[in-house]
Amino acid sequence: MKKHLTFSILALLLSSFNVQADQGEVILGFDIGQNKMRFEDDFIVADTEDGNHTAFSLSYVAGYHFANDIVAEANLVYSSNINILNAFDRYSLYELKGLVGYSFTLNQALTLVPMIGFSKWDLDTKEGALLNSGPEAEENFDGIDVAYKLRLNLAFDSLTMMSLSYAITEADFGRTQAVQVGLLFEF
């Protein structure tokens, strides 16, 4: 049901792309922050874990802001939990997100951009060496699922913006919730 609703919203937004390309602006930037990953039991390497992990998150943003305030963007996201000397279980998540949204102008400097789209993700897991008597288990999972993002932009000038974003991916392995701060350039 979620995927049907997502397809409907994306089709509605994409149908409003009736502007010429020279009327908008290109968006480029990066975000860093924290990603809380909640794993279902089938995707946890060790049986004793509760499935909740906090990870460092880095993403690159490339997109287009159309003159009618529709925003289309691609995010390349890397998230990994901190793992010193391979002692603990490691989770690395790679995502390629395609998102579409609308930019609401709150005042001259602030805009709010809710987005919806898809995440093509790849999850690598590796069991840690600490308290592990045998070889470390390694697994890889991948899929395509629904992603949401809410970004608040603070414009410094006509080119540079600071962004604060909250992104959710509802994946087969569980759920990720990323809070990131970044720098965007619109030209």
Side-chain angles (χ1 to χ4, degrees):
M1 178 66 181
K2 284 191 286 184
K3 289 188 180 184
H4 294 293
L5 180 61
T6 303
F7 279 123
S8 300
I9 292 170
L10 285 175
L12 181 64
L13 287 171
L14 290 172
S15 68
S16 66
F17 284 172
N18 58 358
V19 296
Q20 296 177 1
D22 62 352
Q23 293 177 323
E25 297 179 324
V26 172
I27 301 169
L28 294 175
F30 64 92
D31 296 316
I32 59 170
Q34 179 178 335
N35 192 352
K36 288 189 176 186
M37 297 186 278
R38 169 80 178 125
F39 296 106
E40 299 294 330
D41 291 338
D42 296 344
F43 293 91
I44 297 175
V45 174
D47 294 333
T48 59
E49 296 188 38
D50 65 356
N52 292 310
H53 291 276
T54 301
F56 168 77
S57 182
L58 172 67
S59 66
Y60 298 99
V61 178
Y64 198 79
H65 185 169
F66 292 88
N68 62 356
D69 286 329
I70 298 291
V71 176
E73 93 178 24
N75 295 175
L76 182 59
V77 184
Y78 171 72
S79 299
S80 180
N81 61 334
I82 305 298
N83 186 353
I84 301 170
L85 303 174
N86 289 328
F88 303 102
D89 295 341
R90 180 180 179 97
Y91 297 89
S92 296
L93 178 65
Y94 305 89
E95 291 182 89
L96 177 59
K97 295 181 182 182
L99 302 163
V100 177
Y102 188 83
S103 178
F104 294 96
T105 302
L106 303 177
N107 63 33
Q108 283 184 331
L110 287 174
T111 57
L112 185 66
V113 186
M115 292 179 266
I116 188 169
F118 296 96
S119 171
K120 180 174 180 352
W121 54 268
D122 184 58
L123 175 66
D124 295 327
T125 64
K126 183 176 181 182
E127 187 177 24
L130 186 65
L131 302 175
N132 181 18
S133 60
E136 291 81 32
E138 292 184 43
E139 294 189 58
N140 180 279
F141 307 96
D142 59 11
I144 299 174
D145 286 296
V146 178
Y148 310 95
K149 186 174 183 179
L150 181 63
R151 186 173 67 220
L152 181 66
N153 297 329
L154 173 62
F156 296 127
D157 54 36
S158 62
L159 175 68
T160 312
M161 293 180 287
M162 184 177 87
S163 71
L164 176 64
S165 64
Y166 176 70
I168 297 173
T169 299
E170 297 284 353
D172 290 339
F173 63 82
R175 181 180 202 172
T176 67
Q177 298 175 342
V179 176
Q180 296 180 313
V181 64
L183 196 59
L184 296 175
F185 301 96
E186 220 176 82
F187 51 93

